[in-house]
Amino acid sequence: MPATTYAVSGMSCGHCKATLTKVIGALDGVSGVEVDLDTGRVTVTGAAEPDDAAIAEVVDEAGYELTGRV
């Protein structure tokens, strides 16, 4: 399965990690989400290429900022 890594700002704690895992994981086609607080990166895996706009939207709605792919 392809994996895409994004830079996300505003993450600082376990609650941030749990929130992003939940909201990104709920998107169609997403099978896994790994959040690394130390690097500010979120890796998304799925059967197909992720929809960057959809991911950016749920990240922003959760109170964080997706700043781009890594």
Side-chain angles (χ1 to χ4, degrees):
M1 287 194 189
T4 304
T5 302
Y6 298 93
V8 177
S9 63
M11 303 183 302
S12 62
C13 64
H15 180 266
C16 301
K17 183 175 182 174
T19 299
L20 287 173
T21 300
K22 179 180 177 182
V23 299
I24 296 170
L27 293 171
D28 286 341
V30 174
S31 61
V33 179
E34 289 185 35
V35 178
D36 187 332
L37 297 174
D38 293 332
T39 63
R41 295 184 177 179
V42 177
T43 302
V44 179
T45 55
E49 188 74 13
D51 181 346
D52 291 346
I55 292 174
E57 183 178 341
V58 297
V59 168
D60 288 345
E61 286 176 1
Y64 308 96
E65 181 183 4
L66 189 147
T67 56
R69 285 190 180 206
V70 177

